[in-house]
Amino acid sequence: MPQTPNNLAAFIWSLADLLRGDFKQGQYGRVILPFTLLRRLEGVLEDSKENVLAEYDKVQAMGLPEEAQEKMLLRATNGLSFFNTSKMDLSKLGEAGIKDNLESYIQGFSKDAREIFEYFNFADFIGQLNDADLLYKIVQKVRQTDLSPKAISNHDMGLVFEELIRRFAEGSNETAGEHFTPRDIIRLTTALVFMEDDDALTKAGIIRTIYDPTAGTGGFLSSGMEYVHELNPQAVMRAFGQELNPESYAICKADMLIKGQDVSNIKLGNTLSNDQLYADKFDYMLSNPPFGVDWKKIEQAIKDENTQKSFDGRFGPGLPRVSDGSLLFLLHLISKLRGAEKGGARIGIILNGSPLFTGGAGSGESEIRRYILEADLLETIVALPTDMFYNTGIATYVWVLSNKKAAQRKGKVQLINGVNLCGKMRKSLGSKRNVMDENDIATITRSFGAFEVVDARELDKPTEQKSNRGRQSANPKIEAPKTFSSKIFNTHEFGYRRITVERPLRESYQFSDDRIADLRFAPKPLNAVMKWAHAEYGLSWFDDESCENYGVLSEHEESIRKHIKSHVSELKEKQIKDLLNNKTWASQKHILLKAKLLQQKIGSAQHDDMNGYDAALKTTGIKLDSKQKKQITNAVSWKNPDAEKVIKKTHKTKANPIYGLFEVNGQTIEYKPDGDLRDNENIALDPSQNVNEINEAYFKKEVQPHVPDAWIDANKKDAKDQEIGIVGYEIPFNRHFYQYQPPRDLVDIDADLDKVSAEIMELLREVHS
């Protein structure tokens, strides 16, 4: 019998030799994993099988429901969490009726164990194996493998099953990325989360919990248990998890069952919309949620929890955009932190780049980052190399959070740039082309453990292999050296306050024929289609009140609707009815005629001071309702940078130009803002100074010298601290680690161009000769 877990896993995986040809490579695991589980469970139950069968005969006579029967039968297992009431085992299935016998054998398992085989769709594969005349051969080979606890311990059997899962995932790498995290990333994340607690974990009788809300096949749970086992074989690590995909759930549950875990703690379902462990808190949490997956299907449930429970629920800090739910998983994990008064907890989660910076000040993403940083939960973020996952090559990051930070870490965040800590794989697996070895992982964990600043240190890594195809430059660009670095920041250094900067509106007005002519037609969305209808059917209309057919379009309704359907399909039925209603046309004509009367009084000259507009209207004596005035004003006025500033209000208070109160001819004037000139400025947070002093100093230095008539909008305040400006947080990782690479010398570029030009001319001469 092979002794090491890897050799045993390879021996079991050799079942694939029998499956080859009748099954696809990606299906091997769907046969091998459940058969391995079945053989292990059979070995574990061997000593208690007779007791269970004897008890089963007694319980059957009682006519109890299944749940009550299970509780009584579990007492006969000598402390196991499952049993089997079938008198069969793999050696007694026979050959003739092997399919029915095997299915009956599996049905004899207790509910939790039986459910695993159901989610594996094992019955379907039993049928396929039987049809291919392979079932008996597979069963005979499996039963020859001794997987009993006497032959292999729970710990080693767990390693065997993990290796089988890895082979299965890599064999079906087209979907593996959804449910399987590469082992190198798991080892790194696990070490970062657990290493701060190494001393505590080595104590006798230690009991801890580990949780993964996106458990997949259970890689993170297994890695956490393995880490603690290496430190302290006597420690107890209880695993909890939830998984959405039924097959991955089955694999995870099987793995936990093999490791002796209580598999009732592994749940099936959507963690965000239906948290089946809602009352539990945990010591350690590890997760690799799906990247960039939207949460539209569960949008209402998430929003309801946010509005109804606020901070008493999971999503009180805010909600990210519907297109990416990564930060929802992070908030979910934070809600599961065991209280600091009970020893605290730690989180390791893998995210893409979006949660670092997506969303401006006041957005859901920014508010989530704000909550995390202001609560001082974030310990470190590690930038991983690209091409590390099976289904994506994008940049990824490990976030480590804790509510029990060491004293030197309080108020601080460590950023570690590990993008160059990898080597190329000999053979790619899907999108995974890079792998981190133990030295790469150790480099990161040492830096994190030492909580040290590391200036860009060149690594002993081979440079990227460049293609030698095509034209090669005589003076190629020098590639940036591969480096490793680490930086430490105060949490507030990721924050900023966004102030709104306004500038005055400048407008002119003119009652010209061209401008007032547009009043014949209603504003958008009817404006364009009314112009078309007038050109098509209104040439005989005139503006005199006696024109009875003005705006009458009933006989043209069919062709108008046809035009709208093909050219203006966004119009709603109510708007179409307004267009066809002659009252709409009559109302616009009435406004047009009033504008013409105003033109006669005011004239058609251009006026560059909008402040005299109302007075000019008043002198005419022509009365306008609010709708008429608005339409006429919009038609005859326009923004003009050479016009006078438009006054909004005159104040009796003291002038304060920084906040839009200007002294003009002894009066304090407030101008109307121009929305098109509105701008925002982000000002770094500094808790040691007054907010207004920081804002004003920045404004005087960076804004006023360039636009003297600008001002800060004092009404735009942060919802939480009520100070001017909206607080935002982002973590611009790449900006902090950017290494400037000077461009190639112009002389070298010119030399390359001259060489290429000479080659082109030579080719042209050959063509013409």
Side-chain angles (χ1 to χ4, degrees), residues 101-144:
N101 291 339
L102 180 56
E103 289 175 348
S104 174
Y105 178 33
I106 291 169
Q107 288 302 309
F109 278 104
S110 51
K111 184 179 177 182
D112 274 330
R114 187 172 67 245
E115 183 187 56
I116 296 172
F117 293 101
E118 290 171 358
Y119 282 112
F120 266 121
N121 292 320
F122 194 41
D124 292 342
F125 282 96
I126 290 174
Q128 292 178 42
L129 287 166
N130 192 57
D131 292 342
D133 291 328
L134 290 173
L135 185 57
Y136 181 74
K137 294 177 183 177
I138 292 288
V139 168
Q140 291 308 303
K141 185 161 185 178
V142 169
R143 64 180 287 265
Q144 292 169 12

Side-chain angles (χ1 to χ4, degrees), residues 305-306 309-318 371 720:
E305 182 170 343
N306 170 255
K309 295 185 178 181
S310 187
F311 281 87
D312 290 331
R314 296 172 291 171
F315 310 121
Y371 170 75
K720 290 185 178 177

Side-chain angles (χ1 to χ4, degrees), residues 479-536:
E479 292 297 322
K482 292 193 172 186
T483 60
F484 169 79
S485 52
S486 166
K487 297 184 179 183
I488 296 173
F489 300 86
N490 294 312
T491 53
H492 73 261
E493 291 183 74
F494 299 113
Y496 61 90
R497 192 174 293 273
R498 186 188 69 195
I499 61 170
T500 300
V501 177
E502 300 283 11
R503 294 177 63 186
L505 176 67
R506 297 172 183 265
E507 282 186 319
S508 298
Y509 70 95
Q510 181 182 19
F511 281 83
S512 64
D513 291 340
D514 289 342
R515 289 187 175 277
I516 63 177
D518 201 46
L519 289 167
R520 187 184 303 278
F521 314 109
K524 292 179 179 179
L526 293 180
N527 188 268
V529 72
M530 285 184 77
K531 285 182 179 179
W532 170 81
H534 185 270
E536 288 287 321

Side-chain angles (χ1 to χ4, degrees), residues 388-574:
M388 292 296 294
F389 291 84
Y390 296 108
N391 62 344
T392 180
I394 63 174
T396 49
Y397 302 81
V398 178
W399 294 43
V400 179
L401 300 92
S402 174
N403 61 354
K404 54 175 182 177
K405 278 188 173 184
Q408 72 271 24
R409 293 186 186 271
K410 291 188 182 297
K412 307 284 186 182
V413 175
Q414 184 178 9
L415 300 185
I416 300 174
N417 184 22
V419 296
N420 294 312
L421 288 171
C422 65
K424 290 291 180 186
M425 297 175 65
R426 286 190 300 175
K427 181 182 178 183
S428 299
L429 291 169
S431 295
K432 183 171 176 61
R433 299 177 180 85
N434 292 327
V435 64
M436 300 179 83
D437 61 25
E438 293 302 325
N439 290 331
D440 295 329
I441 294 172
T443 299
I444 293 172
T445 54
R446 278 197 297 266
S447 176
F448 173 67
F451 192 54
E452 61 181 0
V453 173
V454 179
D455 294 328
R457 182 180 75 212
E458 192 162 348
L459 297 168
D460 183 21
K461 296 283 185 181
T463 56
E464 293 290 331
Q465 195 104 28
K466 296 295 181 183
S467 171
N468 56 8
R469 289 185 174 184
R471 190 183 310 279
Q472 301 296 310
S473 172
N475 301 286
K477 182 180 177 181
I478 299 173
E479 292 297 322
K482 292 193 172 186
T483 60
F484 169 79
S485 52
S486 166
K487 297 184 179 183
I488 296 173
F489 300 86
N490 294 312
T491 53
H492 73 261
E493 291 183 74
F494 299 113
Y496 61 90
R497 192 174 293 273
R498 186 188 69 195
I499 61 170
T500 300
V501 177
E502 300 283 11
R503 294 177 63 186
L505 176 67
R506 297 172 183 265
E507 282 186 319
S508 298
Y509 70 95
Q510 181 182 19
F511 281 83
S512 64
D513 291 340
D514 289 342
R515 289 187 175 277
I516 63 177
D518 201 46
L519 289 167
R520 187 184 303 278
F521 314 109
K524 292 179 179 179
L526 293 180
N527 188 268
V529 72
M530 285 184 77
K531 285 182 179 179
W532 170 81
H534 185 270
E536 288 287 321
Y537 311 111
L539 297 178
S540 61
W541 301 347
F542 53 91
D543 296 336
D544 192 280
E545 296 291 346
S546 62
C547 181
E548 295 180 357
N549 68 334
Y550 191 92
V552 176
L553 296 169
S554 53
E555 62 182 278
H556 306 296
E557 179 176 351
E558 185 178 345
S559 57
I560 290 172
R561 284 185 174 275
K562 186 176 180 181
H563 174 83
I564 289 172
K565 186 176 182 180
S566 58
H567 293 87
V568 204
S569 57
E570 65 272 14
L571 281 187
K572 297 177 181 177
E573 180 59 26
K574 183 182 180 303

Side-chain angles (χ1 to χ4, degrees), residues 112 239-241 249 253 261-267 276-277:
D112 274 330
F240 296 76
Y249 163 74
K253 198 167 182 178
Q261 289 286 332
D262 180 359
V263 292
S264 65
N265 294 330
I266 308 299
K267 306 293 185 180
Q276 296 184 43
L277 297 164

Side-chain angles (χ1 to χ4, degrees), residues 470-474 744 748-765:
R471 190 183 310 279
Q472 301 296 310
S473 172
R744 292 173 60 206
D748 294 335
I749 296 173
D750 285 341
D752 279 347
L753 290 173
D754 290 341
K755 182 180 178 182
V756 172
S757 297
E759 291 177 5
I760 292 172
M761 295 304 296
E762 182 61 32
L763 291 171
L764 289 173
R765 276 194 291 273

